[in-house]
Amino acid sequence: MAAQANLQLRELKAGDDGKGVLDLLAQLTVVGEISQQQFKDRFQLLQSKRPDYYIVVLEDVDKQRVVASATLLIEYKILRHCGKVGHIEDVVVDDGYRGQKLGQRVIAALVAHAQTQGCYKVILDCSDSNVPFYEKCGFIKKEVQMALYMTAKQTV
C-alpha cells in the first residue's frame, strides 16, 4: 500500500459494513455471519452508549475501505474517587496497510478520548508478541490477563 493513501480518522459509521469493516475485524478474530440489519441494530445500540463506547476507524477514502479500527470502553468505578477506566479492545490494521503507524494513530485517538472523558488510566490485554507495539504507544506491561469463555463455541 502506498504511503500516500488518503486516510481519514473518524468514528465508526452506520454504513461501514459496506466499507469492509467486518472483513477487517475478521483479520483479528471470528466475526461470524452478520446481516446488514444486524450490523445496523448493533451500531444503533453502540451509538446509544456514547461516549462510553467509542469506536474509531481509519478509512482509505479513495478506496472507500475501512483499513484500521479500535474500540474504547469506559468503566465507571467506585474506586479511585468514583473514577473511570478506559479499556481498549479490538485493535486491528488491515494486512495491506501495516507498517505505516496506523495502529498508533487509532490508539492515540482512543487515549485522547479517554482523557477528555476523565479516565485516570487506559488498559488493554494483548499477546506477548504485541507488547513491543503497545510499548511504542506509551503502555507498560503490568499484571496478567485471564479469560473464562462461556461456551465451547467461543475461542481465543
Side-chain angles (χ1 to χ4, degrees):
M1 176 50 42
Q4 299 299 323
N6 183 11
L7 301 175
Q8 179 187 29
L9 180 69
R10 60 170 174 78
E11 287 188 62
L12 182 74
K13 293 181 182 177
D16 283 342
D17 57 326
K19 292 186 176 184
V21 74
L22 299 176
D23 294 333
L24 174 67
L25 291 170
Q27 293 181 36
L28 180 65
T29 191
V30 176
V31 173
E33 295 296 321
I34 298 175
S35 70
Q36 283 183 319
Q37 187 61 50
Q38 287 173 307
F39 184 86
K40 179 182 174 187
D41 291 346
R42 183 52 50 108
F43 176 80
Q44 289 173 344
L45 174 68
L46 297 175
Q47 284 296 104
S48 75
K49 301 191 179 300
R50 287 188 73 250
D52 299 329
Y53 203 105
Y54 185 71
I55 302 173
V56 295
V57 301
L58 273 168
E59 178 185 352
D60 183 326
V61 177
D62 296 332
K63 294 186 177 185
Q64 296 188 1
R65 298 293 293 174
V66 173
V67 299
S69 179
T71 300
L72 178 77
L73 308 165
I74 297 177
E75 173 189 6
Y76 287 78
K77 309 285 279 185
I78 294 174
L79 302 170
R80 304 276 182 163
H81 309 281
C82 293
K84 296 186 232 178
V85 175
H87 295 262
I88 291 179
E89 292 282 341
D90 304 335
V91 178
V92 61
V93 175
D94 184 272
D95 288 335
Y97 289 77
R98 293 185 185 162
Q100 300 180 50
K101 302 185 187 277
L102 304 186
Q104 290 177 354
R105 284 181 64 186
V106 294
I107 293 293
L110 295 183
V111 169
H113 182 76
Q115 287 174 320
T116 65
Q117 296 306 308
C119 293
Y120 71 90
K121 71 177 177 179
V122 176
I123 59 177
L124 57 85
D125 296 322
C126 70
S127 65
D128 286 335
S129 64
N130 286 332
V131 168
F133 165 75
Y134 289 109
E135 287 176 336
K136 288 178 188 174
C137 295
F139 289 80
I140 58 170
K141 190 172 179 181
K142 187 175 186 218
E143 300 179 3
V144 175
Q145 171 199 27
M146 303 292 290
L148 175 65
Y149 291 94
M150 297 300 153
T151 67
K153 291 181 181 179
Q154 293 179 336
T155 59
V156 186

